[in-house]
Every structure is written in C-alpha cells, then in structure tokens.
Amino acid sequence: MILEELHLRKCHMQGKQGVKALFVVCRSIRELVLEDCWGLDDSVFAAATIFSRSIRSLSLKGCSILTTQGLESVLLSWRELDRLRVVSCNNIKDSEITAELVTLFSLLKELKWQPDSRSMLSASLAGTGIGQKGSRSLRWN
C-alpha cells in the first residue's frame, strides 16, 4: 500500500530534520497540502525536493514565511506537477515571479494563485477560465 496524499494542517514545522524525515518516508505521495503550518520557511520547504518524481498537486495556504524564491526552488525541481494552489502566503509576491515560474504556470492543468490580497496574476487571469478546476489551460509555445 502506498500513501498518495499528505495533508498537514496547523503543524509546527521548525524542525528541518524532522520534516525531511517525514518527507523521506512519504516520498511517493502525489498530493501535498500544507495549511497554516508554523515555521515553514524556505530552508524547511527545501526538503520537499525529495518529491521531484512524484508530486502532481501542491496546495499551500497560510504559509506566511515561505518566500517566492523558496517556492520556486522546489517547484522547478518537480517534474510531474500539474496542479498548484497558493493562498494567503504573504511572502510570496507577484513581483518576484521569474520567467521560469511563468513557464511552469503555463503548463499547469490547474492554478489558483492568491498569495496575498494584492496579487495581480490572479486578477489578470480572472474571467479567462485559466487556472480554474475543469477549465482549459494556458499554453505558451
């Protein structure tokens, strides 16, 4: 039996080694959900690179100290990602989105991007049907 989903809500994640050990044990998961996890910073989240061959879906909500750079460093290592949800993660900024992340976003089947109340990417996609569940995806060639 293989664990396919890992949902962590209101967890204390400051122990980098403990998080890394958890991720090693769960390395074959396809979906990772992190909600309101205290202490989830860039260095702790970096342990998620272990999922490079398995993760298809990531949902982040309320991960307020994770930055755009920390998110990008992990996302770009994941080869199978097709769904991304980032909500209320105030240190993830539209202004820090790189061309590599834009390319990754364009390949996703589903994208929900509302890292903070000032998110422009989410607003610019509104009404296009892009990034919504069951909708068409945006492709740049």
Side-chain angles (χ1 to χ4, degrees), residues 63-124:
C63 300
S64 60
I65 59 175
L66 182 64
T67 69
T68 311
Q69 293 83 12
L71 177 66
E72 178 179 28
S73 69
V74 172
L75 292 184
L76 295 180
S77 75
W78 291 352
R79 294 170 181 82
E80 303 295 324
L81 186 70
D82 59 10
R83 289 179 171 75
L84 176 62
R85 181 176 180 258
V86 178
V87 177
S88 300
C89 300
N90 294 330
N91 275 328
I92 297 175
K93 309 284 185 198
D94 286 349
S95 61
E96 298 171 353
I97 298 294
T98 63
E100 291 85 6
L101 272 180
V102 169
T103 300
L104 177 92
F105 291 170
S106 72
L107 299 173
L108 297 173
K109 290 180 182 175
E110 182 179 330
L111 173 64
K112 180 171 184 178
W113 185 261
Q114 295 174 316
D116 60 31
S117 60
R118 296 181 213 139
S119 177
M120 300 298 280
L121 179 62
S122 178
S124 68

Side-chain angles (χ1 to χ4, degrees), residues 5-18:
E5 298 177 11
L6 179 60
H7 294 241
L8 300 173
R9 291 186 176 99
K10 297 185 179 183
C11 294
H12 186 74
M13 299 184 77
Q14 283 185 318
K16 186 177 176 179
Q17 295 302 333

